[in-house]
Amino acid sequence: MDANKRQRYEKISIELTRLVGGRENIQGVAHCATRLRIVLNDNDLADLKAIENVDLAKGVFVAGDQVQIIFGAGLVNDVYEVFAEYNNMKNMSLSDLKTVANKKMNPLQRIIKALSDVFVDIMPGILAAALLTGLSGVLGNLEFVQANDTLYGINRLINIASGAIFGFLPLAVAYSACKRFGGRPILGIVIGCVMLSDSLANAYQAAQGTVEVTTLHIFGLGVDLVGFQGGIIVALLMGFVTAKLDIVFEKKVPEVIRLLLSPLLTTLVGSLLLFTIIGPVGRGLSSGITNALVWMTQNLGVFGYAIFSALQQLVVITGLHHIFGAIEAQLLADTGRNFLNPLMSVAIIAQGGAVLGYLVRHRKDVKTRELCIPSFISVLFGITEPALFGINLRYRFPIIGGCIGGALGGMVVYFTNLAAVGFGTTVLPGIALTDPAGNGYINYIIAHGVAIAGGFLMTLVLGKFMDKTQEEVPAVETKIETTEKEIQEETIKVPEKEVFFGYADGQMIAMEDVKDDTFANKVLGDGIAIIPNSGKVYAPIDGTIISIFDTKHAICFASKYGTEILIHIGVDTVNLQGKYFTTYVKDGDVVKKGQLLIEFDKEQVEKEGYDTVIPMIFTDLPEEKRLEKLTPNSVTAETNTVLVHSHIGN
């Protein structure tokens, strides 16, 4: 990571730590593909509205008792690295964070989260199978493919590959579920093999009555020797049961025979439970889910479709949407068609239409463009979190417009009998999964066009009555000092001019003259810098210490009027890890102008090869304010040399 980026991420880390309630409120931190995930002791201490405006953040929400901040793929890795280092939590893994977060979840949340984790692990295989199925369907309808031996052969191989993955999906689910619930994954694979054993009658053939089914009698129970092809719910249950059996037997079986006896008992007991209890229960549950969904389409008609596609993205907000993967897999196994996929797809693109509607209303705002455009691009590939949490839910009326657009798209899905032959991908990539029967591809495009247009237009209409983003900002609320030990909150008006005094002895230079691109280009903000004569840094104004880096080379400080500055000692001195630095204040301390904050051994730092220039940066300076330097080049901390932070035109 280059110095410019690191400095920017350090600023983000300082601000985020303050906005989530300080280091003492952070239990753990990790990241996934797009989000920084933070578990807090008290979520109420986090200022979610302010976090939305943090540099590079595309949105924030709370899910599963995690504060999740969307930064985007790639970027989140770098932000996490600096944020975790700043908060001394760099060695925490995502699984560690899940453990911490799970302690705060209710039973229903834990179940939903577990289902999500199971399908996350095997989703690449599911996507591969789904896309191969769609590709095979497209190629199979082309005459020149059928007429060419080579193309026909390739298409046959594609069809075999996709069918094989779906055919062994219960095995993959059992493996992933066993792993997720703490068992040895290989035992999940073994149980999956039992479920699909050639010694059992094929489940599809048995349902059609084309194969003879053998029935055993165990403890007076009739056990049909039928396989579990398509038994996704059964596989989930068996993965859980196998994991728990493995854990129990690993604890109870004596160590001298554990290696031989423990897996034997897990497989034997698991197999008995599969055929006598888990299998029948799971089949009944699967049948109930499928029948309920089919009943909805047959009895509620267009209203059922419209309601589902209108509300589906609200389910995403709760995190309950992860269960749809299991339902879709079961629906495909039972009926061969998945009507939920296009319904979810039009619900997604409708929220993208709402983003475009909001963008049109605020097209002159640079921040809005930076947020809306990448969010919409994510929607095109089926990822709605940046759009939902960064824009639509944040401003309320776009989410309503998106839901209405989703309902309109759902109605088109109903009238065109649109369905998919797989699951796991939506919107642009999802067209490859479309059932081509009945002009499926054309209908897919029409449904999505109606949904995005509906979301766009309804957001524009609702925005005329509900858009409150241009409301006037209230007076600044901050803390002022009464005594050194007593602080009271008051609403105070920021003065026309705010004076910052010299903070070190030495020669003052312009920020552009600092020999570092990050500072010289004002990536972190505007300010001044001092080439120090000694290694002491003082408070430039009365205020409060927001945070001091663990490496002691930088301090974030706020004046009593809320103006934030960053005093950074040296260039790249973070690499010294605090060596040669001594702090005299701590986070939260209220300090007076001229009070000693940090002392460092200037000569030793320079011997290590580091520039000791000390920039003072105004990290959050509003556009209507400017910096005015009213000092000679040579300054001291005692001579009341000043830097003026003033309003323009006031």
Side-chain angles (χ1 to χ4, degrees):
M1 185 188 307
D2 63 42
N4 289 357
K5 289 183 178 179
R6 184 174 186 88
Q7 296 286 357
R8 189 175 187 181
Y9 301 154
E10 284 178 353
K11 177 187 173 184
I12 292 172
S13 299
I14 293 170
E15 192 171 5
L16 277 182
T17 301
R18 176 175 61 84
L19 293 176
V20 299
R23 293 178 182 174
E24 63 279 1
N25 194 39
I26 300 175
Q27 284 191 9
V29 59
H31 73 92
C32 58
T34 59
R35 311 173 200 169
L36 182 69
R37 299 166 176 255
I38 309 172
V39 175
L40 304 177
N41 292 310
D42 184 356
N43 287 344
D44 292 337
L45 296 179
D47 188 344
L48 299 183
K49 191 171 184 63
I51 293 173
E52 290 176 347
N53 296 316
V54 168
D55 184 28
L56 299 179
K58 297 180 176 67
V60 60
F61 61 100
V62 177
D65 269 335
Q66 294 178 20
V67 174
Q68 300 188 12
I69 306 164
I70 303 168
F71 284 102
L75 174 61
V76 70
N77 300 64
D78 293 337
V79 173
Y80 162 77
E81 181 181 342
V82 177
F83 182 84
E85 182 180 285
Y86 178 66
N87 288 285
N88 294 322
M89 293 183 177
K90 196 168 182 180
N91 292 324
M92 175 167 278
S93 66
L94 187 57
S95 60
D96 294 332
L97 189 73
K98 290 175 182 177
T99 302
V100 173
N102 284 345
K103 293 177 181 178
K104 302 177 70 177
M105 292 183 183
N106 61 46
L108 177 60
Q109 288 174 321
R110 289 196 184 102
I111 292 172
I112 298 301
K113 189 68 178 67
L115 284 175
S116 168
D117 293 342
V118 168
F119 280 91
V120 163
D121 265 4
I122 61 175
M123 188 54 70
I126 294 173
L127 283 173
L131 293 173
L132 287 172
T133 299
L135 179 60
S136 177
V138 172
L139 295 176
N141 289 322
L142 300 176
E143 291 185 6
F144 71 87
V145 173
Q146 298 295 321
N148 185 284
D149 289 342
T150 298
L151 294 178
Y152 175 79
I154 292 174
N155 189 42
R156 283 279 293 165
L157 293 178
I158 292 173
N159 185 264
I160 291 170
S162 64
I165 298 173
F166 273 125
F168 286 91
L169 187 56
L171 186 152
V173 171
Y175 151 80
S176 186
C178 184
K179 177 183 176 182
R180 166 60 182 81
F181 293 110
R184 285 174 286 185
I186 185 61
L187 295 180
I189 293 177
V190 171
I191 287 295
C193 291
V194 173
M195 292 175 62
L196 303 176
S197 172
D198 289 340
S199 300
L200 305 173
N202 184 280
Y204 300 123
Q205 294 176 355
Q208 296 169 1
T210 59
V211 65
E212 184 178 348
V213 177
T214 302
T215 301
L216 302 179
H217 297 279
I218 301 175
F219 303 121
L221 296 174
V223 177
D224 294 333
L225 297 184
V226 179
F228 294 89
Q229 289 78 10
I232 309 302
I233 303 298
V234 177
L236 280 169
L237 295 173
M238 282 308 304
F240 173 80
V241 169
T242 301
K244 298 308 175 184
L245 288 173
D246 186 33
I247 292 170
V248 169
F249 289 129
E250 279 291 291
K251 289 181 179 179
K252 300 298 183 182
V253 175
E255 186 174 356
V256 66
I257 56 173
R258 184 180 300 159
L259 180 61
L260 296 176
L261 196 56
S262 175
L264 183 152
L265 291 173
T266 298
T267 304
L268 176 60
V269 175
S271 298
L272 289 173
L273 291 173
L274 169 65
F275 290 105
T276 57
I277 299 176
I278 306 298
V281 170
R283 281 193 172 118
L285 183 59
S286 301
S287 178
I289 292 172
T290 302
N291 290 338
L293 291 170
V294 172
W295 179 90
M296 181 190 78
T297 63
Q298 293 176 343
N299 294 275
L300 298 182
V302 65
F303 297 105
Y305 274 67
I307 291 171
F308 182 91
S309 54
L311 301 181
Q312 191 269 340
Q313 285 296 293
L314 300 183
V315 177
V316 171
I317 294 170
T318 68
L320 298 174
H321 65 296
H322 295 296
I323 198 171
F324 287 135
I327 296 173
E328 287 182 278
Q330 195 63 60
L331 191 63
L332 276 170
D334 292 342
T335 68
R337 299 179 88 243
N338 174 16
F339 64 88
L340 290 183
N341 181 269
L343 285 177
M344 290 189 287
S345 190
V346 295
I348 289 170
I349 197 63
Q351 295 299 328
V355 170
L356 293 181
Y358 185 83
L359 175 60
V360 168
R361 284 190 58 82
H362 298 270
R363 55 189 175 277
K364 294 182 180 179
D365 184 76
V366 176
K367 180 72 174 178
T368 297
R369 293 199 299 270
E370 290 178 350
L371 191 60
C372 288
I373 293 173
S375 295
F376 177 73
I377 293 173
S378 295
V379 166
L380 294 178
F381 294 91
I383 301 170
T384 54
E385 283 87 349
L388 284 177
F389 299 106
I391 303 157
N392 297 359
L393 191 62
R394 178 180 180 182
Y395 300 114
R396 295 180 178 83
F397 71 93
I399 192 79
I400 300 173
C403 288
I404 296 173
L408 295 174
M411 295 171 70
V412 177
V413 172
Y414 172 79
F415 287 121
T416 58
N417 194 28
L418 192 61
V421 295
F423 72 101
T425 187
T426 51
V427 196
L428 287 183
I431 195 170
L433 307 184
T434 303
D435 186 347
N439 296 318
Y441 299 121
I442 296 175
N443 293 333
Y444 187 91
I445 295 171
I446 293 173
H448 284 70
V450 169
I452 193 173
F456 174 78
L457 294 174
M458 289 308 304
T459 299
L460 289 180
V461 172
L462 292 170
K464 293 182 179 180
F465 308 99
M466 300 175 64
D467 194 350
K468 299 180 180 180
T469 55
Q470 302 299 327
E471 286 185 349
E472 192 173 316
V473 179
V476 177
E477 187 175 282
T478 186
K479 293 182 178 179
I480 62 172
E481 179 183 7
T482 54
T483 68
E484 286 192 2
K485 295 185 178 180
E486 181 181 2
I487 297 176
Q488 64 180 14
E489 290 192 359
E490 284 188 19
T491 299
I492 57 177
K493 186 178 179 182
V494 177
E496 183 176 346
K497 290 187 178 183
E498 195 172 359
V499 180
F500 288 76
F501 291 78
Y503 56 94
D505 299 338
Q507 179 186 355
M508 181 178 290
I509 62 173
M511 190 67 75
E512 294 87 346
D513 295 331
V514 176
K515 297 175 182 177
D516 179 81
D517 289 340
T518 300
F519 297 118
N521 294 329
K522 301 179 183 179
V523 173
L524 302 178
D526 202 356
I528 63 164
I530 293 176
I531 299 174
N533 295 329
S534 64
K536 292 185 178 182
V537 177
Y538 303 89
I541 195 171
D542 293 353
T544 304
I545 305 299
I546 296 175
S547 63
I548 299 177
F549 277 60
D550 290 335
T551 49
K552 304 175 185 178
H553 75 293
I555 184 168
C556 191
F557 180 90
S559 75
K560 65 180 182 180
Y561 297 112
T563 302
E564 295 185 10
I565 60 172
L566 173 67
I567 299 177
H568 196 287
I569 303 171
V571 176
D572 292 335
T573 46
V574 63
N575 298 326
L576 293 173
Q577 295 296 308
K579 189 178 180 182
Y580 309 127
F581 290 83
T582 303
T583 58
Y584 293 94
V585 290
K586 62 182 183 300
D587 293 1
D589 279 359
V590 177
V591 299
K592 290 283 191 179
K593 179 195 70 177
Q595 183 174 334
L596 182 62
L597 304 180
I598 299 177
E599 189 171 8
F600 66 101
D601 192 327
K602 180 175 175 291
E603 289 72 22
Q604 289 297 326
V605 172
E606 290 174 341
K607 283 183 181 179
E608 294 276 359
Y610 295 97
D611 187 343
T612 56
V613 65
I614 309 176
M616 181 172 73
I617 307 149
F618 290 80
T619 57
D620 194 23
L621 189 66
E623 292 182 0
E624 71 274 10
K625 297 182 180 181
R626 63 187 171 89
L627 296 177
E628 181 182 348
K629 187 173 71 172
L630 300 177
T631 62
N633 287 334
S634 181
V635 300
T636 67
E638 293 82 14
T639 58
N640 290 344
T641 315
V642 299
L643 181 73
V644 177
H645 168 227
S646 64
H647 290 267
I648 290 179
N650 289 341

